[in-house]
Amino acid sequence: MPDVPLPPRLHVSQHPAIRHKLTLLRDERTEPKKFRELVREISWLVGYEALADARLREMPVQTPLEQTDGAELADRIGLIPILRAGLGMVDAMLELMPTAQVWHLGLFRDERTLRPVEYYNKLPDSATVDLCLILDPMLATGGSAVAAIDVLKRWGAVRIKLVNLIAAPEGVAAVASVHPDVEIHTAALDRQLNERGYILPGLGDAGDRQFGTGRPE
Ligand code: PRP
Ligand code: URA
């Protein structure tokens, strides 16, 4: 692993179920249908951990037997999937947080410069949520994540978390240096980037593997 200091706001899941599913996700033999299922399942598990400190409002509830203490989510949660690959994480997060709002951001990485290019932004004029979860399976150079966080902060977002499936140390360091307030939750922290900006060992191109659009070799 390159000698990049890792920030305290990085959470790498240690859950055995996640490690098991990640192994299948990485496997080059895993077909798009199974790959999408795994993206969804791992997203649920990482999202569950990322929401551990969501704020609650106390609320009584009447059971068939008596009234007792209950709680409802007080935070208005915004899910911001980064197109395309982040789309595969949305359904799982909506299962966890059915009232979340979903705001799509389209960014692709220019494969020559590795810089993000914004092509779609459906955010309204000002922030409508208390907690934003950016959904993107891959954190590689960090360019896309930093650009997405820039957009959300300009929008007025204050609490932002990044939810990834695989992160590279370089991407974690890039986010932490520009946006040290942003928590990163990831299923795995991999070794490094290769010369083309792909995560090693990684899983290849997350968008292509979900949507079956990889170019034949
Ligand atoms: C992938 C991935 C991230 C980005 C990560 O998207 O889903 O958005 O690359 O790379 P970075 O950290 O170096 O910016 P890609 O640009 O391939 O677009 P896609 O989801 O449409 O395939
Ligand atoms: N985007 C991906 O989909 N995979 C990588 O390894 C890096 C960026």
Side-chain angles (χ1 to χ4, degrees), residues 19-78:
R19 292 206 55 202
H20 174 92
K21 289 175 190 295
L22 259 177
T23 304
L24 299 171
L25 190 75
R26 292 182 192 278
D27 192 328
E28 63 178 1
R29 295 168 300 181
T30 300
E31 298 292 336
K33 178 172 186 296
K34 182 68 184 167
F35 191 91
R36 288 192 297 272
E37 282 169 23
L38 289 161
V39 166
R40 178 192 177 107
E41 290 166 6
I42 302 169
S43 299
W44 198 100
L45 293 164
V46 181
Y48 176 81
E49 292 181 348
L51 287 164
D53 63 354
R55 290 190 283 231
L56 290 173
R57 188 180 305 117
E58 295 304 315
M59 190 188 73
V61 59
Q62 180 71 43
T63 79
L65 300 175
E66 62 178 25
Q67 181 165 305
T68 187
D69 297 340
E72 62 179 358
L73 275 171
D75 276 330
R76 293 170 304 165
I77 295 181

Side-chain angles (χ1 to χ4, degrees), residues 141-143 145-147 149-150 153 171-182:
T141 65
V146 167
I149 298 165
D150 286 343
K153 287 190 172 173
V172 170
V175 171
S177 70
V178 185
H179 296 294
D181 54 305
V182 172

